[in-house]
Amino acid sequence: MAASERDYSCVAVHGDTVVAIGFLELHDAAGQPGKRLGTEAVIGYLVHPEYWGQRIGSDLVPALLEVVFSVLGLRRVTATCSAPNVASARLLAGAGMRLEARRLAEEWHAELGWLDGLHFAMLAEEWHQRNTQVDA
């Protein structure tokens, strides 16, 4: 059961082991009073280090996008990663998300200090167009 009506998080299991967590949380778009609520989502994932490089994130992200656009019918989704995490940036871009911003020194890392953050997004139209082209 979800922690709230806005939380659609999940786990990825291999055998009896939880190897990753996928996050999907509904958000309200910015705007003036009267806007539609719950039209956007933020997604993310954490993969256990022992399972890095085994395509778990590559399976999770498209599944989360499928839920965002096909199941929930939302209009926009966002995701972030730290700039040094090249694998995550490549994964988000490969799933069709577009890099919208690089925010300087926004995230603290115990060993590396302040890191830049990369902000990705995708609109429903982009997702549907991408998946129509793949199916064609």
Side-chain angles (χ1 to χ4, degrees):
M1 178 166 203
S4 76
E5 293 177 5
R6 292 177 168 247
D7 180 4
Y8 289 82
S9 298
C10 62
V11 295
V13 178
H14 179 72
D16 293 333
T17 305
V18 173
V19 297
I21 300 170
F23 304 95
L24 192 169
E25 186 172 325
L26 271 58
H27 284 263
D28 300 332
Q32 297 179 340
K35 67 181 182 271
R36 291 178 45 212
L37 302 178
T39 61
E40 298 190 4
V42 173
I43 62 168
Y45 60 94
L46 293 171
V47 177
H48 190 288
E50 290 180 19
Y51 293 88
W52 287 354
Q54 296 184 30
R55 299 197 43 83
I56 294 174
S58 297
D59 292 337
L60 257 177
V61 170
L64 291 169
L65 293 173
E66 176 80 22
V67 172
V68 166
F69 296 119
S70 289
V71 176
L72 299 174
L74 304 181
R75 65 171 225 63
R76 178 177 161 86
V77 64
T78 59
T80 62
C81 67
S82 60
N85 190 342
V86 176
S88 280
R90 189 174 327 132
L91 192 156
L92 295 170
M97 297 188 78
R98 142 183 58 68
L99 180 63
E100 287 195 326
R102 180 183 187 117
R103 293 175 52 178
L104 303 179
E106 74 170 357
E107 176 184 328
W108 175 253
H109 187 281
E111 289 88 30
L112 302 175
W114 289 104
L115 302 176
D116 293 356
L118 303 178
H119 293 250
F120 291 83
M122 179 181 264
L123 296 171
E125 303 86 55
E126 295 169 316
W127 187 84
H128 290 296
Q129 180 180 27
R130 177 182 173 85
N131 286 289
T132 301
Q133 291 173 351
V134 170
D135 294 338

